[in-house]
Amino acid sequence: MANVTLTINGKEITVPAGTTILDAAKEAGFFIPTLCHEPSNPGYGGCRICVVDVKGARALVASCCAEAANGMVVETESQAVIEARKTIIELMLANHPTDCLTCDQNGDCRLQDYAYRYDVKRSGFEGEKHNYPIDDSNPYIVRDMNKCILCGRCVRTCEQVQDRQVINFAFRGFNTKVAPAMDTNLAESACVSCARCLVVCPVGALTYKNLAGKARTYEIRKEPVTCTFCDAGCQFDLNYKGNKVIGVTAREPGEGRPLCLKGRLGLELLYADKPLTPMLKKDDQYVEVSWTEALGMEGVLKKLDELKE
């Protein structure tokens, strides 16, 4: 494969042709912030916070979409770039709750991290704010669309699963939001609570209901575990606070994506100090069920009973 050589912040670097500026900068050891970018599903370029200054370009360039080229000269932290990033953060904060002290995502929120990095203490933009009701209809997932930054990561990861595609962008302009079909709540949608969307959300718009109030993000230690309830071998994380498992969550992108609720519930039963009470949807309503039913073991137990007879 052919290579290209470019200069990033005065450092010359050679990368394979087709490499994005973002990946080239990362390889060279330079930081570029991202919100909508997802390495396993790249090329979206919606949030524009990853813009860089390319010599000769008419405007700042989205580094997650633009390919590196021979002779390209790039600055990742020029004055124009920093001002653009500050403005983008201010625009997001203009319609974002400021409850960071009590947010479950505090300490693991990219918007919070970038506001700190670029010294954005408050938004300079005034105007109408959203006041969406919090959707806690799903027994496992809480959706707070007031905190959503419309990065689209949840939409794209849900689309990756065949026949899933539960959520998408709805409405236009200021009223744009991420929602299931017909703008219903999550419990009334076709969501199977696999939690793929939660692991890619960069802010606190999507959180695990069972982990709410149990620990701050910096108190949690994660250890990988492989689900053995089927031969897919999905990867999850055991979430420890001290020596106790307080929950089971999806793994980071590229490290294994869970595709079913059964595996996560089963691992909760095996490892958690206080496992969840399983719930399944029956007649469009979530109801508590036994672990045997939740894990699909009723047929197996019935067969064993028949063999005993």
Side-chain angles (χ1 to χ4, degrees):
M1 181 182 291
N3 293 330
V4 296
T5 300
L6 69 160
T7 302
I8 302 178
N9 296 340
K11 180 178 180 179
E12 191 173 277
I13 179 173
T14 300
V15 294
T19 302
T20 63
I21 297 174
L22 176 65
D23 289 336
K26 183 178 180 180
E27 186 173 328
F30 297 112
F31 169 80
I32 296 178
T34 61
L35 287 169
C36 70
H37 175 68
E38 170 55 57
S40 66
N41 193 2
Y44 183 66
C47 72
R48 317 305 282 186
I49 202 166
C50 72
V51 292
V52 294
D53 210 336
V54 177
K55 187 175 181 180
R58 290 183 298 175
L60 298 179
V61 176
S63 62
C64 69
C65 297
E67 292 185 2
N70 268 319
M72 184 178 279
V73 178
V74 179
E75 286 189 50
T76 64
E77 295 281 345
S78 69
Q79 188 61 38
V81 167
I82 292 173
E83 287 302 316
R85 290 176 185 166
K86 283 186 174 183
T87 301
I88 291 169
I89 294 169
E90 285 189 31
L91 285 167
M92 290 182 177
L93 291 178
N95 193 34
H96 195 87
T98 55
D99 60 345
C100 295
L101 292 175
T102 55
C103 180
D104 283 315
Q105 206 68 12
N106 186 16
D108 189 24
C109 171
R110 291 197 189 185
L111 184 58
Q112 183 187 66
D113 292 342
Y114 297 160
Y116 180 82
R117 181 184 181 95
Y118 294 103
D119 194 30
V120 179
K121 294 181 172 62
R122 63 185 61 84
S123 176
F125 299 95
E126 300 291 338
E128 187 178 356
K129 290 179 178 289
H130 290 132
N131 189 25
Y132 297 121
I134 294 176
D135 179 8
D136 62 353
S137 60
N138 185 287
Y140 309 108
I141 300 170
V142 178
R143 297 172 72 242
D144 185 350
M145 289 297 96
N146 298 298
K147 295 179 181 178
C148 178
I149 58 173
L150 301 177
C151 66
R153 290 173 64 143
C154 57
V155 174
R156 300 196 309 279
T157 194
C158 193
E159 287 176 343
Q160 286 182 309
V161 185
Q162 187 175 5
D163 298 326
R164 193 71 53 88
Q165 302 169 0
V166 177
I167 52 178
N168 210 327
F169 290 107
F171 307 109
R172 289 184 171 186
F174 177 74
N175 294 319
T176 302
K177 62 187 290 191
V178 174
M182 307 304 293
D183 195 21
T184 63
N185 61 39
L186 209 57
E188 295 175 339
S189 73
C191 176
V192 297
S193 307
C194 71
R196 290 171 63 96
C197 56
L198 273 75
V199 75
V200 297
C201 181
V203 291
L206 296 168
T207 54
Y208 290 94
K209 183 179 287 189
N210 66 307
L211 288 177
K214 287 188 176 180
R216 309 302 285 176
T217 55
Y218 52 80
E219 296 177 309
I220 295 176
R221 172 173 55 88
K222 295 186 177 184
E223 291 186 4
V225 63
T226 302
C227 175
T228 58
F229 283 87
C230 74
D231 58 2
C234 294
Q235 298 288 307
F236 292 85
D237 276 327
L238 299 179
N239 289 241
Y240 285 87
K241 182 180 181 181
N243 295 320
K244 293 182 178 181
V245 177
I246 60 174
V248 177
T249 58
R251 297 217 70 196
E252 289 294 326
E255 297 180 2
R257 297 288 184 84
L259 299 179
C260 76
L261 178 62
K262 183 190 294 185
R264 189 152 54 87
L265 285 176
L267 293 171
E268 285 267 0
L269 178 61
L270 285 174
Y271 294 103
D273 182 57
K274 294 181 179 179
L276 289 167
T277 299
M279 301 183 76
L280 292 180
K281 186 183 285 188
K282 296 183 178 181
D283 298 325
D284 293 327
Q285 295 291 328
Y286 278 97
V287 296
E288 292 187 4
V289 297
S290 67
W291 280 100
T292 302
E293 183 177 354
L295 298 176
M297 300 293 288
E298 287 184 322
V300 175
L301 293 178
K302 183 178 180 181
K303 189 67 175 178
L304 288 173
D305 289 338
E306 290 175 355
L307 291 174
K308 288 178 183 178
E309 295 175 357

